[in-house]
Short mmCIF file of all heavy atoms in Angstrom, two decimals:
data_model
loop_
_atom_site.label_atom_id
_atom_site.label_comp_id
_atom_site.label_asym_id
_atom_site.label_seq_id
_atom_site.Cartn_x
_atom_site.Cartn_y
_atom_site.Cartn_z
N GLN I 1 -45.25 -3.16 -114.57
CA GLN I 1 -44.51 -1.90 -114.68
C GLN I 1 -44.58 -1.08 -113.41
O GLN I 1 -43.62 -0.43 -113.02
CB GLN I 1 -45.06 -1.10 -115.86
CG GLN I 1 -44.71 -1.68 -117.23
CD GLN I 1 -45.47 -1.00 -118.35
OE1 GLN I 1 -46.19 -0.03 -118.12
NE2 GLN I 1 -45.31 -1.50 -119.57
N ARG I 2 -45.74 -1.09 -112.75
CA ARG I 2 -45.93 -0.26 -111.57
C ARG I 2 -45.56 -0.97 -110.26
O ARG I 2 -45.30 -0.32 -109.25
CB ARG I 2 -47.39 0.21 -111.49
CG ARG I 2 -47.82 1.08 -112.65
CD ARG I 2 -49.13 1.75 -112.34
NE ARG I 2 -49.57 2.59 -113.45
CZ ARG I 2 -50.46 3.56 -113.32
NH1 ARG I 2 -51.00 3.80 -112.12
NH2 ARG I 2 -50.81 4.30 -114.34
N TYR I 3 -45.56 -2.28 -110.29
CA TYR I 3 -45.41 -3.03 -109.05
C TYR I 3 -44.04 -2.85 -108.40
O TYR I 3 -43.93 -2.51 -107.24
CB TYR I 3 -45.66 -4.52 -109.31
CG TYR I 3 -45.14 -5.42 -108.22
CD1 TYR I 3 -45.74 -5.43 -106.95
CD2 TYR I 3 -44.04 -6.27 -108.42
CE1 TYR I 3 -45.29 -6.23 -105.94
CE2 TYR I 3 -43.59 -7.09 -107.41
CZ TYR I 3 -44.21 -7.07 -106.18
OH TYR I 3 -43.74 -7.88 -105.17
N ARG I 4 -42.98 -3.07 -109.13
CA ARG I 4 -41.66 -3.06 -108.50
C ARG I 4 -41.30 -1.72 -107.90
O ARG I 4 -40.90 -1.65 -106.74
CB ARG I 4 -40.59 -3.53 -109.51
CG ARG I 4 -39.19 -3.60 -108.94
CD ARG I 4 -39.13 -4.33 -107.59
NE ARG I 4 -39.64 -5.67 -107.63
CZ ARG I 4 -39.91 -6.39 -106.55
NH1 ARG I 4 -39.74 -5.89 -105.35
NH2 ARG I 4 -40.37 -7.62 -106.69
N PRO I 5 -41.47 -0.61 -108.64
CA PRO I 5 -41.17 0.68 -108.01
C PRO I 5 -42.00 0.94 -106.76
O PRO I 5 -41.52 1.43 -105.76
CB PRO I 5 -41.49 1.69 -109.11
CG PRO I 5 -41.35 0.91 -110.37
CD PRO I 5 -41.82 -0.47 -110.05
N ALA I 6 -43.28 0.57 -106.82
CA ALA I 6 -44.16 0.81 -105.66
C ALA I 6 -43.74 -0.07 -104.49
O ALA I 6 -43.75 0.36 -103.34
CB ALA I 6 -45.61 0.51 -106.05
N ALA I 7 -43.38 -1.32 -104.76
CA ALA I 7 -43.03 -2.24 -103.68
C ALA I 7 -41.68 -1.86 -103.07
O ALA I 7 -41.43 -2.14 -101.89
CB ALA I 7 -42.95 -3.66 -104.22
N ASP I 8 -40.80 -1.23 -103.84
CA ASP I 8 -39.46 -0.92 -103.35
C ASP I 8 -39.38 0.40 -102.59
O ASP I 8 -38.49 0.62 -101.80
CB ASP I 8 -38.48 -0.84 -104.53
CG ASP I 8 -38.10 -2.22 -105.02
OD1 ASP I 8 -38.36 -3.17 -104.26
OD2 ASP I 8 -37.59 -2.34 -106.14
N SER I 9 -40.34 1.31 -102.85
CA SER I 9 -40.18 2.67 -102.34
C SER I 9 -40.96 2.95 -101.06
O SER I 9 -40.40 2.99 -99.97
CB SER I 9 -40.58 3.69 -103.41
OG SER I 9 -41.91 3.46 -103.84
N ALA I 10 -42.27 3.13 -101.18
CA ALA I 10 -43.06 3.62 -100.04
C ALA I 10 -43.02 2.67 -98.87
O ALA I 10 -43.07 1.45 -99.02
CB ALA I 10 -44.51 3.82 -100.47
N PRO I 11 -42.93 3.19 -97.65
CA PRO I 11 -43.00 2.33 -96.45
C PRO I 11 -44.40 1.76 -96.29
O PRO I 11 -45.36 2.33 -96.79
CB PRO I 11 -42.67 3.31 -95.31
CG PRO I 11 -43.04 4.65 -95.85
CD PRO I 11 -42.75 4.61 -97.30
N PRO I 12 -44.55 0.62 -95.63
CA PRO I 12 -45.83 -0.06 -95.53
C PRO I 12 -46.95 0.85 -95.02
O PRO I 12 -48.06 0.76 -95.50
CB PRO I 12 -45.55 -1.19 -94.54
CG PRO I 12 -44.09 -1.48 -94.73
CD PRO I 12 -43.45 -0.16 -95.01
N GLU I 13 -46.68 1.70 -94.04
CA GLU I 13 -47.75 2.49 -93.46
C GLU I 13 -48.30 3.54 -94.40
O GLU I 13 -49.34 4.14 -94.16
CB GLU I 13 -47.29 3.15 -92.14
CG GLU I 13 -46.08 4.06 -92.30
CD GLU I 13 -44.78 3.30 -92.09
OE1 GLU I 13 -44.79 2.06 -92.19
OE2 GLU I 13 -43.77 3.96 -91.82
N ASP I 14 -47.61 3.82 -95.51
CA ASP I 14 -48.06 4.84 -96.46
C ASP I 14 -49.13 4.31 -97.41
O ASP I 14 -49.78 5.08 -98.09
CB ASP I 14 -46.89 5.39 -97.29
CG ASP I 14 -46.02 6.32 -96.48
OD1 ASP I 14 -46.44 6.72 -95.37
OD2 ASP I 14 -44.93 6.65 -96.95
N ILE I 15 -49.27 3.01 -97.52
CA ILE I 15 -50.19 2.43 -98.49
C ILE I 15 -51.59 2.37 -97.88
O ILE I 15 -51.82 1.68 -96.90
CB ILE I 15 -49.73 1.05 -98.95
CG1 ILE I 15 -50.63 0.54 -100.06
CG2 ILE I 15 -49.64 0.05 -97.84
CD1 ILE I 15 -50.43 1.24 -101.36
N GLN I 16 -52.51 3.14 -98.44
CA GLN I 16 -53.87 3.17 -97.92
C GLN I 16 -54.83 3.24 -99.10
O GLN I 16 -54.58 3.92 -100.08
CB GLN I 16 -54.10 4.38 -97.02
CG GLN I 16 -53.34 4.31 -95.70
CD GLN I 16 -53.65 5.49 -94.82
OE1 GLN I 16 -54.30 6.45 -95.24
NE2 GLN I 16 -53.19 5.44 -93.58
N ILE I 17 -55.93 2.50 -98.98
CA ILE I 17 -56.99 2.55 -99.99
C ILE I 17 -58.14 3.32 -99.39
O ILE I 17 -58.60 3.03 -98.29
CB ILE I 17 -57.43 1.12 -100.37
CG1 ILE I 17 -56.27 0.38 -101.05
CG2 ILE I 17 -58.63 1.15 -101.30
CD1 ILE I 17 -56.58 -1.06 -101.41
N SER I 18 -58.61 4.32 -100.11
CA SER I 18 -59.72 5.13 -99.59
C SER I 18 -61.02 4.34 -99.71
O SER I 18 -61.14 3.46 -100.56
CB SER I 18 -59.84 6.43 -100.37
OG SER I 18 -60.41 6.19 -101.64
N PRO I 19 -62.01 4.65 -98.86
CA PRO I 19 -63.30 3.96 -98.95
C PRO I 19 -63.95 4.08 -100.33
O PRO I 19 -64.61 3.16 -100.79
CB PRO I 19 -64.14 4.64 -97.87
CG PRO I 19 -63.12 5.06 -96.86
CD PRO I 19 -61.93 5.50 -97.66
N LEU I 20 -63.77 5.24 -101.00
CA LEU I 20 -64.37 5.41 -102.31
C LEU I 20 -63.67 4.51 -103.35
O LEU I 20 -64.32 3.90 -104.20
CB LEU I 20 -64.31 6.87 -102.74
CG LEU I 20 -65.19 7.82 -101.93
CD1 LEU I 20 -64.99 9.26 -102.36
CD2 LEU I 20 -66.66 7.44 -102.09
N ASP I 21 -62.33 4.43 -103.29
CA ASP I 21 -61.61 3.51 -104.18
C ASP I 21 -61.97 2.06 -103.85
O ASP I 21 -62.15 1.22 -104.73
CB ASP I 21 -60.09 3.70 -104.04
CG ASP I 21 -59.60 4.94 -104.74
OD1 ASP I 21 -60.34 5.46 -105.60
OD2 ASP I 21 -58.49 5.41 -104.45
N GLY I 22 -62.10 1.79 -102.56
CA GLY I 22 -62.46 0.44 -102.13
C GLY I 22 -63.86 0.06 -102.63
O GLY I 22 -64.11 -1.10 -102.96
N TYR I 23 -64.75 1.06 -102.70
CA TYR I 23 -66.11 0.79 -103.17
C TYR I 23 -66.07 0.39 -104.66
O TYR I 23 -66.83 -0.48 -105.11
CB TYR I 23 -67.01 2.02 -103.01
CG TYR I 23 -68.39 1.68 -102.48
CD1 TYR I 23 -69.01 2.47 -101.52
CD2 TYR I 23 -69.09 0.57 -102.96
CE1 TYR I 23 -70.26 2.15 -101.03
CE2 TYR I 23 -70.34 0.26 -102.46
CZ TYR I 23 -70.93 1.05 -101.51
OH TYR I 23 -72.17 0.72 -101.03
N ASP I 24 -65.14 0.98 -105.42
CA ASP I 24 -64.97 0.57 -106.81
C ASP I 24 -64.57 -0.89 -106.90
O ASP I 24 -65.06 -1.66 -107.73
CB ASP I 24 -63.91 1.43 -107.51
CG ASP I 24 -64.39 2.84 -107.78
OD1 ASP I 24 -65.62 3.04 -107.90
OD2 ASP I 24 -63.54 3.75 -107.84
N ALA I 25 -63.65 -1.30 -106.00
CA ALA I 25 -63.21 -2.70 -105.98
C ALA I 25 -64.37 -3.61 -105.59
O ALA I 25 -64.51 -4.71 -106.14
CB ALA I 25 -62.06 -2.86 -104.99
N PHE I 26 -65.19 -3.16 -104.66
CA PHE I 26 -66.37 -3.95 -104.25
C PHE I 26 -67.33 -4.16 -105.43
O PHE I 26 -67.79 -5.27 -105.69
CB PHE I 26 -67.10 -3.21 -103.12
CG PHE I 26 -68.43 -3.80 -102.75
CD1 PHE I 26 -68.50 -4.85 -101.84
CD2 PHE I 26 -69.61 -3.34 -103.32
CE1 PHE I 26 -69.72 -5.42 -101.49
CE2 PHE I 26 -70.83 -3.89 -102.99
CZ PHE I 26 -70.88 -4.94 -102.06
N LEU I 27 -67.60 -3.08 -106.16
CA LEU I 27 -68.52 -3.17 -107.30
C LEU I 27 -67.95 -4.09 -108.38
O LEU I 27 -68.69 -4.85 -109.01
CB LEU I 27 -68.77 -1.79 -107.88
CG LEU I 27 -69.60 -0.85 -106.97
CD1 LEU I 27 -69.58 0.57 -107.50
CD2 LEU I 27 -71.04 -1.36 -106.85
N GLU I 28 -66.65 -4.04 -108.56
CA GLU I 28 -66.01 -4.93 -109.53
C GLU I 28 -66.12 -6.39 -109.05
O GLU I 28 -66.42 -7.28 -109.85
CB GLU I 28 -64.53 -4.56 -109.69
CG GLU I 28 -64.27 -3.31 -110.50
CD GLU I 28 -64.51 -3.54 -111.99
OE1 GLU I 28 -64.32 -4.67 -112.47
OE2 GLU I 28 -64.90 -2.59 -112.67
N ALA I 29 -65.89 -6.60 -107.79
CA ALA I 29 -65.92 -7.95 -107.23
C ALA I 29 -67.31 -8.56 -107.29
O ALA I 29 -67.48 -9.77 -107.45
CB ALA I 29 -65.39 -7.95 -105.81
N LYS I 30 -68.32 -7.73 -107.14
CA LYS I 30 -69.70 -8.22 -107.07
C LYS I 30 -70.38 -8.27 -108.43
O LYS I 30 -71.53 -8.71 -108.53
CB LYS I 30 -70.52 -7.35 -106.11
CG LYS I 30 -70.05 -7.38 -104.66
CD LYS I 30 -70.09 -8.80 -104.11
CE LYS I 30 -69.65 -8.85 -102.66
NZ LYS I 30 -69.71 -10.21 -102.10
N GLN I 31 -69.70 -7.78 -109.48
CA GLN I 31 -70.28 -7.82 -110.81
C GLN I 31 -70.55 -9.28 -111.20
O GLN I 31 -69.66 -10.14 -111.16
CB GLN I 31 -69.31 -7.22 -111.82
CG GLN I 31 -69.93 -6.90 -113.18
CD GLN I 31 -70.84 -5.70 -113.13
OE1 GLN I 31 -70.58 -4.75 -112.41
NE2 GLN I 31 -71.91 -5.73 -113.90
N GLY I 32 -71.79 -9.57 -111.56
CA GLY I 32 -72.14 -10.94 -111.91
C GLY I 32 -72.55 -11.78 -110.72
O GLY I 32 -73.08 -12.89 -110.91
N ARG I 33 -72.32 -11.26 -109.51
CA ARG I 33 -72.70 -12.02 -108.31
C ARG I 33 -73.92 -11.39 -107.61
O ARG I 33 -74.64 -12.07 -106.89
CB ARG I 33 -71.53 -12.08 -107.33
CG ARG I 33 -70.32 -12.81 -107.93
CD ARG I 33 -69.12 -12.77 -107.00
NE ARG I 33 -69.38 -13.47 -105.76
CZ ARG I 33 -68.54 -13.53 -104.74
NH1 ARG I 33 -67.37 -12.91 -104.84
NH2 ARG I 33 -68.83 -14.20 -103.66
N LEU I 34 -74.12 -10.09 -107.82
CA LEU I 34 -75.30 -9.41 -107.33
C LEU I 34 -76.20 -9.09 -108.50
O LEU I 34 -75.75 -8.89 -109.64
CB LEU I 34 -74.93 -8.11 -106.61
CG LEU I 34 -74.20 -8.23 -105.27
CD1 LEU I 34 -73.90 -6.85 -104.71
CD2 LEU I 34 -75.02 -9.03 -104.27
N GLN I 35 -77.50 -9.00 -108.24
CA GLN I 35 -78.45 -8.61 -109.27
C GLN I 35 -78.22 -7.15 -109.68
O GLN I 35 -77.75 -6.33 -108.88
CB GLN I 35 -79.88 -8.77 -108.75
CG GLN I 35 -80.29 -10.22 -108.52
CD GLN I 35 -80.23 -11.03 -109.80
OE1 GLN I 35 -80.83 -10.66 -110.82
NE2 GLN I 35 -79.51 -12.14 -109.77
N PRO I 36 -78.53 -6.80 -110.93
CA PRO I 36 -78.33 -5.42 -111.39
C PRO I 36 -78.95 -4.38 -110.46
O PRO I 36 -78.37 -3.32 -110.22
CB PRO I 36 -78.98 -5.42 -112.78
CG PRO I 36 -78.85 -6.83 -113.25
CD PRO I 36 -79.02 -7.67 -112.02
N GLY I 37 -80.14 -4.71 -109.94
CA GLY I 37 -80.80 -3.76 -109.03
C GLY I 37 -80.00 -3.53 -107.76
O GLY I 37 -79.89 -2.42 -107.27
N SER I 38 -79.43 -4.62 -107.23
CA SER I 38 -78.61 -4.50 -106.00
C SER I 38 -77.33 -3.72 -106.27
O SER I 38 -76.89 -2.92 -105.43
CB SER I 38 -78.28 -5.90 -105.46
OG SER I 38 -79.46 -6.59 -105.11
N LEU I 39 -76.73 -3.96 -107.44
CA LEU I 39 -75.53 -3.20 -107.80
C LEU I 39 -75.85 -1.72 -107.91
O LEU I 39 -75.06 -0.86 -107.48
CB LEU I 39 -74.95 -3.70 -109.12
CG LEU I 39 -74.21 -5.05 -109.09
CD1 LEU I 39 -73.88 -5.51 -110.48
CD2 LEU I 39 -72.93 -4.94 -108.24
N GLN I 40 -77.02 -1.39 -108.46
CA GLN I 40 -77.42 0.01 -108.60
C GLN I 40 -77.62 0.65 -107.23
O GLN I 40 -77.29 1.82 -107.02
CB GLN I 40 -78.69 0.13 -109.44
CG GLN I 40 -79.09 1.57 -109.74
CD GLN I 40 -77.98 2.37 -110.40
OE1 GLN I 40 -77.34 1.92 -111.35
NE2 GLN I 40 -77.72 3.56 -109.88
N VAL I 41 -78.15 -0.10 -106.28
CA VAL I 41 -78.33 0.41 -104.91
C VAL I 41 -76.97 0.80 -104.33
O VAL I 41 -76.81 1.82 -103.67
CB VAL I 41 -79.03 -0.64 -104.04
CG1 VAL I 41 -78.96 -0.24 -102.56
CG2 VAL I 41 -80.49 -0.80 -104.46
N HIS I 42 -75.95 -0.05 -104.57
CA HIS I 42 -74.61 0.23 -104.08
C HIS I 42 -74.00 1.44 -104.80
O HIS I 42 -73.28 2.25 -104.18
CB HIS I 42 -73.71 -0.99 -104.21
CG HIS I 42 -73.85 -1.96 -103.08
ND1 HIS I 42 -73.34 -1.72 -101.83
CD2 HIS I 42 -74.49 -3.16 -103.02
CE1 HIS I 42 -73.64 -2.73 -101.02
NE2 HIS I 42 -74.34 -3.62 -101.73
#
């Protein structure tokens, strides 16, 4: 639902992921791959 409007409208240079949003992606990616203690440190 969100993909086509987003892909058709904003110019490429407008798309940016903030470090805080990126950190959420990192934590999601590392779930199950890092120990719980290491995830808590992050």
Side-chain angles (χ1 to χ4, degrees):
Q1 289 170 5
R2 297 193 180 200
Y3 164 68
R4 181 48 57 193
D8 284 344
S9 58
E13 57 270 19
D14 285 348
I15 186 72
Q16 292 183 351
I17 295 177
S18 75
L20 292 175
D21 284 343
Y23 223 138
D24 288 334
F26 172 85
L27 291 169
E28 285 287 330
K30 296 300 181 180
Q31 195 73 35
R33 298 176 63 184
L34 290 180
Q35 292 299 306
S38 298
L39 285 172
Q40 186 54 48
V41 168
H42 277 286

